[in-house]
Amino acid sequence: MGLVTQTSTWPDAGQSGPGHSAPAGPAGTAPSAAGKAASSGTPARPWVARPAEAFTDEALRARLLGSVRSWRDYPPTLRIWFLLVPLLTAAVAGILRFVRLGDPHKLVFDETYYVKDAYSYLVSGYERSWPDKANDSFNAGNPGVLLNSPEYVVHPPVGKWMIAAGMWLFGPDNPFGWRFAAALTGTLSVLLVSLIALKLFRSLPLAGAAGLLLAVDGHHLVMSRTSLLDIFLMFWVLAAFGALLMDRDDGRARLASRLARAAADHGGNPPLAALLSGPWLGVRWWRITAGVCLGLAVGTKWSGLFFVAVFGLLTVLWDMNARRVAGVRGWISGGIIKDGVPAFISTVPVAAVVYTLSWTGWFRSDNAYFRHWAEANPSPAWGWLPDAVRSLAHYHQEAYTFHQGLSSEHPYEASAWSWLVMGRPTSFFYESPQQGTPGCDVAKCTSAILSVGNPLIWWTAAVCLVVLLFWWAGRRDWRAGAVLAGVAAGYLPWFMYPERTMFYFYAVSFEPFLILALAYCLGLVLGRASDPPWRRRSGLYVVVLFVAAAIVLSAFFYPVWAAEVIPYDAWKVRMWMPSWI
């Protein structure tokens, strides 16, 4: 795998920007002046160049994209590993998530809401009420006991439609069908994390480590094996982040190409008008893709709105900085007008349209909750709106009021302050099988599902956030800032609602960014690319040992993540903190 196996997150000498190594062209091309200076031992000054040289396509791409190359520029054997490493981590995730997916053979925790709602979608396209003891019928494989009256729910439809898709494929009468969509989504999210790590760090070891660490973490595993909405929220947020990373490179490549073309048309120097605010960059398809994903995230849970705001600001800041580095004088105004406005149009209205379309089943129904509220409540001020739109707006107002006032006590509620240290993980399932039942050969046994993460992964990742904060603020590494933005969007907003009932499993929405933070710090352990071979080799050994230790610890905790029947004493040994019980 060549030098890629030793690539780390350390910035290199002569880099074109934070976290980028010195530009390297395809084999056989002459090195740049900066590259020659670096190879000769003379300090490189990549920011100083003659005007006629500073605005060539090669020079602009070097400043804006560093040594990023097309995957086609790599040898075929290396290209195979670019696909194989993420796929292997996803395969590990798939095995852990799909094996024994049907256990326990009953609805657990909040599956009692979302799985039954998903079945309602299959039957009628909206949520309907259930009779008393409906869970017993559902667990027995007889879900067809729906009532005709509508049910009031407070979460949007996308996640429930995804659960319904799995039930449509494998039947609503078995747990595999209930949980298939969650397991598939969790597996695909591991693939995405590995690909994103490869994109961010350009390192196969770090991509493999990120994918494996997410694959074996217990919190993500539990959420992938139970049909709650948060795993789907996490997936669409992660997909949006990946799309914005692709857009970042695409936008910078467009900026370099258009500025270089303007310079070439004017004797090597772009005209003053071109440098006042920079060129328009056209339709950004990856940004539109991100808007679609964010719309699906909000359509799963409203907390996706925070990611819309943070990611929107993040992508505009990236573009503003690109114009500054390219040499645009009015990079602030140009970034706001020529990047910010198109970014808003490409994400917010697109996300809004996607979100509205997710309510198609409700619009098409004749009996959904609040479907005809507007007809019974005419409004002089808002009567010009279609009744269906006013009814849906009222539905949202009522749901928002519910969320704001959700402060009922729960034995497993957990303040956001405790999430990173896993102070109070949520118990999804607990039973005490009798001696003689399958798997129980002692006097007292336990079968449990506890949504606790791998302590080595979570506690180390919490420390890594502090490290990233210093590298973002001190070294201005955009990758550290991007990862921190993902954590902030999923975590910090919960501190605005201290009285609201919250649960630790909400943290799965930003868990992939914790894993990326951990991978970033593992890259620091790997060392600089310019370090001697023994240093890089030692760093690689430490990374391998850390990942191996995390895997061993996950094997230790696996029984309490997957409802295995174990002796009570073995369960108690795994309860490292009193608050986990």
Side-chain angles (χ1 to χ4, degrees):
M1 292 183 287
L3 290 177
V4 176
T5 60
Q6 300 299 331
T7 304
S8 74
T9 55
W10 281 95
D12 301 325
Q15 65 187 14
S16 61
H20 287 299
S21 58
T29 61
S32 64
K36 291 178 180 178
S39 63
S40 65
T42 304
R45 302 181 67 189
W47 301 106
V48 180
R50 295 183 180 89
E53 297 174 355
F55 291 100
T56 64
D57 187 66
E58 180 183 1
L60 284 166
R61 285 177 179 268
R63 292 208 302 274
L64 293 169
L65 294 168
S67 60
V68 173
R69 295 187 292 169
S70 168
W71 68 276
R72 297 182 183 86
D73 294 330
Y74 292 96
T77 53
L78 192 55
R79 275 182 264 162
I80 293 175
W81 286 103
F82 288 162
L83 294 176
L84 193 57
V85 167
L87 287 174
L88 287 175
T89 62
V92 172
I95 292 171
L96 292 174
R97 282 149 183 76
F98 281 100
V99 172
R100 299 181 58 253
L101 183 60
D103 293 334
H105 196 94
K106 60 180 64 177
L107 297 169
V108 299
F109 196 56
D110 280 355
E111 282 187 336
T112 185
Y113 304 115
Y114 307 128
V115 170
K116 291 188 294 186
D117 286 346
Y119 179 75
S120 297
Y121 278 32
L122 281 180
V123 173
S124 57
Y126 65 95
E127 298 90 345
R128 285 163 53 182
S129 299
W130 294 82
D132 294 337
K133 298 184 179 179
N135 282 10
D136 295 336
S137 297
F138 216 99
N139 294 335
N142 179 31
V145 293
L146 270 172
L147 302 177
N148 290 325
S149 57
E151 178 74 9
Y152 175 59
V153 297
V154 293
H155 288 301
V158 171
K160 288 169 279 190
W161 276 117
M162 295 177 74
I163 297 172
M167 300 170 77
W168 177 75
L169 287 172
F170 297 100
D173 57 350
N174 65 92
F176 187 88
W178 308 341
R179 298 168 185 153
F180 172 81
L184 179 62
T185 301
T187 301
L188 291 177
S189 67
V190 171
L191 176 65
L192 277 180
V193 161
S194 188
L195 291 171
I196 288 172
L198 188 60
K199 181 73 174 174
L200 279 174
F201 310 130
R202 287 173 284 149
S203 168
L204 285 173
L206 296 183
L212 278 176
L213 291 173
L214 187 62
V216 303
D217 178 66
H219 186 235
H220 190 273
L221 178 65
V222 168
M223 299 304 295
S224 301
R225 291 174 58 91
T226 50
S227 283
L228 274 64
L229 301 182
D230 300 79
I231 193 70
F232 305 111
L233 168 65
M234 178 274 305
F235 175 79
W236 292 119
V237 164
L238 188 62
F241 182 75
L244 290 178
L245 284 178
M246 297 296 292
D247 173 74
R248 183 182 185 274
D249 283 357
D250 177 61
R252 288 179 171 233
R254 292 189 190 196
L255 180 61
S257 176
R258 298 187 184 195
L259 273 180
R261 191 181 309 124
D265 293 341
H266 292 79
N269 293 320
L272 181 60
L275 292 180
L276 285 178
S277 61
W280 292 92
L281 300 183
V283 179
R284 308 273 286 270
W285 296 106
W286 280 113
R287 189 172 274 166
I288 293 174
T289 301
V292 172
C293 294
L294 289 171
L296 292 169
V298 179
T300 302
K301 293 188 80 171
W302 285 354
S303 52
L305 285 168
F306 298 113
F307 289 95
V308 176
V310 172
F311 285 177
L313 179 62
L314 182 67
T315 188
V316 174
L317 290 176
W318 283 347
D319 284 344
M320 291 171 64
N321 185 60
R323 291 178 184 268
R324 180 187 65 84
V325 172
V328 174
R329 297 182 181 181
W331 56 272
I332 296 179
S333 58
I336 293 174
I337 297 172
K338 294 187 175 180
D339 293 319
V341 174
F344 179 87
I345 296 173
S346 299
T347 53
V348 176
V350 170
V353 169
V354 171
Y355 177 82
T356 304
L357 288 176
S358 71
W359 287 87
T360 299
W362 184 90
F363 280 114
R364 291 172 57 89
S365 71
D366 192 53
N367 194 36
Y369 209 88
F370 283 137
R371 179 62 183 83
H372 296 289
W373 175 88
E375 298 172 12
N377 296 270
S379 171
W382 299 99
W384 55 274
L385 287 173
D387 287 343
V389 174
R390 280 208 307 123
S391 295
L392 186 61
H394 177 73
Y395 196 144
H396 280 64
Q397 182 181 11
E398 291 294 317
Y400 178 78
T401 302
F402 171 84
H403 285 298
Q404 288 291 96
L406 184 59
S407 58
S408 57
E409 293 186 1
H410 192 283
Y412 286 97
E413 62 181 304
S415 169
W417 291 104
S418 68
W419 291 357
L420 291 181
V421 295
M422 302 183 298
R424 184 59 169 167
T426 312
S427 176
F428 282 17
F429 173 77
Y430 185 90
E431 280 188 350
S432 300
Q434 299 296 318
Q435 185 174 9
T437 57
C440 184
D441 300 323
V442 296
K444 192 173 183 181
C445 293
T446 293
S447 177
I449 299 176
L450 184 68
S451 68
V452 64
N454 182 309
L456 181 60
I457 294 174
W458 275 77
W459 293 342
T460 306
V463 176
C464 288
L465 293 179
V466 180
V467 176
L468 262 70
L469 187 61
F470 278 99
W471 278 78
W472 171 59
R475 294 294 187 100
R476 292 179 295 173
D477 191 336
W478 70 270
R479 298 167 304 171
V483 173
L484 289 172
V487 175
Y491 186 34
L492 296 184
W494 292 104
F495 291 96
M496 297 188 298
Y497 308 101
E499 303 300 326
R500 189 188 188 280
T501 305
M502 292 177 281
F503 299 92
Y504 163 66
F505 66 83
Y506 294 173
V508 76
S509 67
F510 62 87
E511 181 176 354
F513 299 97
L514 293 178
I515 297 296
L516 291 173
L518 182 51
Y520 185 101
C521 290
L522 291 178
L524 300 180
V525 173
L526 281 177
R528 296 182 177 90
S530 59
D531 286 341
W534 68 265
R535 167 66 179 85
R536 299 194 310 229
R537 189 163 48 249
S538 300
L540 186 62
Y541 291 158
V542 172
V543 171
V544 171
L545 285 174
F546 179 88
V547 175
I551 292 173
V552 171
L553 191 57
S554 289
F556 174 75
F557 277 99
Y558 180 80
V560 300
W561 295 337
E564 287 190 348
V565 177
I566 58 175
Y568 175 81
D569 291 339
W571 170 82
K572 194 69 179 290
V573 167
R574 290 163 172 82
M575 299 298 104
W576 285 9
M577 296 172 65
S579 59
W580 290 8
I581 299 175

